[in-house]
Amino acid sequence: MLRTAASSFSRQTPRYSRALFNSVRRASTSTTTAGTPPPSGGSSKSGSGGRNAILLTLAATLGAAGGAIITQATGDATKNKTPEFGKFGTREDFRNAIYELKETLGEAKVSTEQAVLDIHGFSPNAHHPGVPHSVVIFPESTEDVVKVVKTANKYLMPIVAFSGGTSLEGHFGGYEGGGICIDMSGMNHILKINGPGATIGGMAGTGCSGTNAVKYGTAKSHWFLNLTVVLPNGEVIKTRSRARKSSAGFDVTKLFIGAEGTLGIITEATIRLTPLQPTSVAVAAFPNVKQAASAVYEALNSTAGDSLQCIELVDDHFMAATNKFGQSKRKYLEKDSLFIKFQGSPTQIKENAKTVERIIKKHGGLNFELARNEQEATDLWQDRKNALWTSLAIIPGSKGWSTDVCVPVSRLPDLVYETKKDLQEHGIVSTIVGHVGDGNFHSLLVFRDDSELDNVRGAVHRMVERALKMEGTCTGEHGVGIGKREFLYEELGVGTVELMKTIKRAVDPHGLFNPGKLYPDDLAPGATTHHSSGKLL
């Protein structure tokens, strides 16, 4: 088993390179910033309190965790007071907190440089309100995180954990009144490996998955064995042992995954690993998405199904954009298409590809091309991975709103068809890329400037409502953040959402961790629900 001192596992491309973070951090350490000595002087004391899978323990920069019933914080600002959820400190409290953090952690780990605050408060990939934080902290250990959390409790200062920096739904934006951002990118060391070697992937913050989910499932399904988390009162817990299975109590680990930094901060994770297998890639075009989806359904249930690592559905707009703006020299049919990644030995891949090709022809496929060598396979898959940049090139200088929903696989063709029709009727340029094997699809809505933003926002809203009517979810991967909290009552039901809020208030009685994210606003007085589902009328 391998243990590391931690990194963020984000499936998306980080907004900024670590080099840029470091360069701005270096600049910030020589700048005079906020944080005057508190009236009493001094600083606070702190304490630290499927397949033959192999295990990896990682200190993870994952802004999500949660935990147990928490005792009341006892810092100066909260001593002898009943916690008041969402009631934060004053500006003077925050200045004192920043001073104390510098004293406790050292100047190099604390920045109030404006460029650093902006990087950590805003994402170019999201189109939701955002504000910069008051201060950014760069911890290097669980103990550092504990010190930050204890200071935050003392001065009632909100905390937001920062990970890969993509944020499609406004996950890491600052709180309007100010707060602390904890950038976990410095916790990136492997601590220990138990096994001969493996690959690493996934992210706990939003419980996301990606192209490999069709074969390996989502991160939240079974890949995380345990987590080490810093709770909102500064206590450090480990969710369970390293045993492959356990019946000891309910699964606290899964409570943390997808909590989006609202219940605690993960500093280590023990995850399952699986050996890296040889792969190859094929592409196939279809007259329409319905025929493509029916071919996928049969392929997954065929003798070749276990060899299918990724099955990606792309629409005709995406294929046209790839022909015009993609990096590949290949020219594709501009039809709804599948990118398929096979896994196994060369002989296995060849035989399984023949099976899938027969199925594709049966369902009206227009062609089937399997990569002839490793380089060609890499080039094919790269065309799929370049979806964002290829789509933005359709309109030079444009912006893109990326969103995702997920439905039962049998409803995906209907969802894609109705969404494409709606976007066309509203004059919105878009491309669609879907993880067709698990019913999840992403749409990039391209627009020129903010004058078109309301039109795009309305289309995203209708897309979510469409998915919910098909017994789907408002997000399969991107998470809730700010952008999709309003849909949780409708999707999960009142009882479930209120249970989530009860857990939040028990774990974080002051509401310090990532305020304003994930949980929807309270229901209006008199709102009623269906008696069976608990959903809003």
Side-chain angles (χ1 to χ4, degrees):
M1 172 176 177
L2 177 152
R3 301 199 62 208
T4 75
S7 173
S8 161
F9 309 128
S10 174
R11 63 173 183 82
Q12 299 157 340
T13 304
R15 175 184 174 189
Y16 295 98
S17 68
R18 182 65 181 165
L20 177 56
F21 281 137
N22 288 337
S23 65
V24 178
R25 281 181 66 186
R26 286 193 295 270
S28 69
T29 59
S30 62
T31 303
T32 302
T33 56
T36 56
S40 60
S43 61
S44 66
K45 295 181 180 180
S46 61
S48 74
R51 329 179 190 315
N52 299 321
I54 40 190
L55 307 178
L56 173 67
T57 298
L58 298 143
T61 75
L62 310 172
I69 300 299
I70 308 304
T71 57
Q72 181 179 336
T74 57
D76 293 347
T78 59
K79 189 181 296 182
N80 301 322
K81 293 182 180 180
T82 300
E84 184 174 350
F85 190 85
K87 179 73 171 180
F88 304 129
T90 64
R91 290 186 180 274
E92 182 65 23
D93 290 330
F94 290 1
R95 283 194 292 269
N96 293 339
I98 293 171
Y99 173 83
E100 189 166 299
L101 288 168
K102 290 179 178 181
E103 289 286 298
T104 304
L105 299 171
E107 294 273 348
K109 295 180 181 178
V110 181
S111 177
T112 53
E113 171 69 26
Q114 191 61 50
V116 176
L117 302 181
D118 289 343
I119 286 173
H120 291 79
F122 302 94
S123 169
N125 305 303
H127 303 282
H128 305 292
V131 296
H133 306 278
S134 304
V135 61
V136 177
I137 309 297
F138 296 88
E140 296 178 356
S141 66
T142 298
E143 290 72 21
D144 283 350
V145 176
V146 169
K147 292 174 183 177
V148 175
V149 172
K150 286 185 176 292
T151 300
N153 269 274
K154 179 178 179 180
Y155 295 102
L156 295 180
M157 197 169 184
I159 296 179
V160 176
F162 182 95
S163 180
T166 304
S167 180
L168 298 175
E169 297 295 348
H171 302 88
F172 63 70
Y175 183 73
E176 187 174 357
I180 300 168
C181 176
I182 302 183
D183 182 328
M184 305 291 287
S185 57
M187 298 182 64
N188 57 0
H189 307 295
I190 294 175
L191 300 176
K192 184 179 180 183
I193 291 181
N194 290 277
T199 59
I200 301 174
M203 187 175 76
T206 57
C208 73
S209 52
T211 59
N212 293 315
V214 66
K215 182 175 179 66
Y216 294 111
T218 65
K220 122 177 355 183
S221 60
H222 75 289
W223 291 98
F224 287 92
L225 282 180
N226 64 50
L227 302 172
T228 298
V229 300
V230 179
L231 299 176
N233 68 342
E235 181 183 356
V236 180
I237 68 166
K238 191 167 187 175
T239 57
R240 50 161 286 185
S241 72
R242 196 170 58 82
R244 289 174 61 89
K245 63 180 182 180
S246 172
S247 295
F250 58 83
D251 194 342
V252 178
T253 304
K254 284 188 172 63
L255 177 66
F256 304 169
I257 300 171
E260 300 187 8
T262 63
L263 300 180
I265 299 169
I266 297 173
T267 58
E268 294 183 22
T270 302
I271 63 174
R272 300 176 189 267
L273 299 174
T274 192
L276 183 64
Q277 300 286 337
T279 61
S280 189
V281 179
V283 63
F286 291 83
N288 55 61
V289 67
K290 186 173 183 179
Q291 288 172 275
S294 63
V296 168
Y297 183 80
E298 182 171 341
L300 286 171
N301 290 282
S302 72
T303 56
D306 197 48
S307 73
L308 301 176
Q309 180 172 322
C310 312
I311 311 178
E312 296 292 286
L313 172 69
V314 296
D315 71 350
D316 53 340
H317 295 164
F318 172 83
M319 297 307 283
T322 301
N323 281 341
K324 292 178 181 177
F325 308 111
Q327 297 179 1
S328 174
K329 296 179 180 178
R330 176 186 292 269
K331 294 301 177 184
Y332 298 94
L333 289 178
E334 295 181 2
K335 299 286 187 180
D336 296 329
S337 300
L338 297 174
F339 283 85
I340 305 170
K341 182 177 285 190
F342 294 91
Q343 181 188 96
S345 69
T347 300
Q348 290 172 327
I349 289 174
K350 188 176 295 185
E351 290 303 312
N352 287 320
K354 289 179 181 178
T355 300
V356 172
E357 182 177 12
R358 288 194 295 269
I359 293 171
I360 285 173
K361 288 181 178 179
K362 173 183 173 182
H363 290 273
L366 303 174
N367 67 354
F368 178 88
E369 299 178 44
L370 179 67
R372 292 169 294 184
N373 52 55
E374 185 175 343
Q375 184 58 54
E376 193 168 286
T378 299
D379 291 343
L380 278 171
W381 198 247
Q382 193 61 42
D383 280 341
R384 159 61 187 92
K385 291 177 67 176
N386 287 338
L388 172 62
W389 311 115
T390 300
S391 300
L392 288 175
I394 296 174
I395 301 177
S398 63
K399 302 177 181 180
W401 185 314
S402 178
T403 191
D404 85 313
V405 292
C406 188
V407 294
V409 176
S410 62
R411 299 305 308 271
L412 186 63
D414 297 329
L415 180 63
V416 172
Y417 172 78
E418 292 180 23
T419 298
K420 286 172 67 70
K421 181 180 178 182
D422 179 62
L423 294 174
Q424 184 176 5
E425 289 175 350
H426 287 82
I428 299 174
V429 176
S430 69
T431 59
I432 286 177
V433 177
H435 308 320
V436 65
D438 51 18
N440 182 209
F441 94 85
H442 304 254
S443 183
L444 183 72
L445 283 56
V446 183
F447 57 100
R448 294 171 180 81
D449 53 51
D450 289 351
S451 67
E452 301 177 3
L453 197 53
D454 285 344
N455 191 27
V456 169
R457 183 177 287 107
V460 171
H461 188 102
R462 291 189 298 275
M463 192 185 308
V464 172
E465 293 289 353
R466 201 173 294 121
L468 295 181
K469 289 177 182 177
M470 296 181 183
E471 299 183 275
T473 175
C474 66
T475 174
E477 293 183 350
H478 293 178
V480 175
I482 295 172
K484 292 186 174 177
R485 359 180 249 144
E486 65 179 293
F487 301 108
L488 290 197
Y489 276 119
E490 183 177 352
E491 177 178 333
L492 301 177
V494 174
T496 300
V497 173
E498 292 306 315
L499 177 60
M500 289 169 57
K501 290 183 175 183
T502 299
I503 294 169
K504 167 67 173 175
R505 290 187 174 98
V507 175
D508 185 12
H510 295 294
L512 297 179
F513 276 26
N514 211 6
K517 318 292 172 51
L518 183 60
Y519 309 92
D521 294 336
D522 291 339
L523 290 173
T528 57
T529 65
H530 291 294
H531 71 279
S532 59
S533 66
K535 294 184 177 180
L536 293 177
L537 287 172

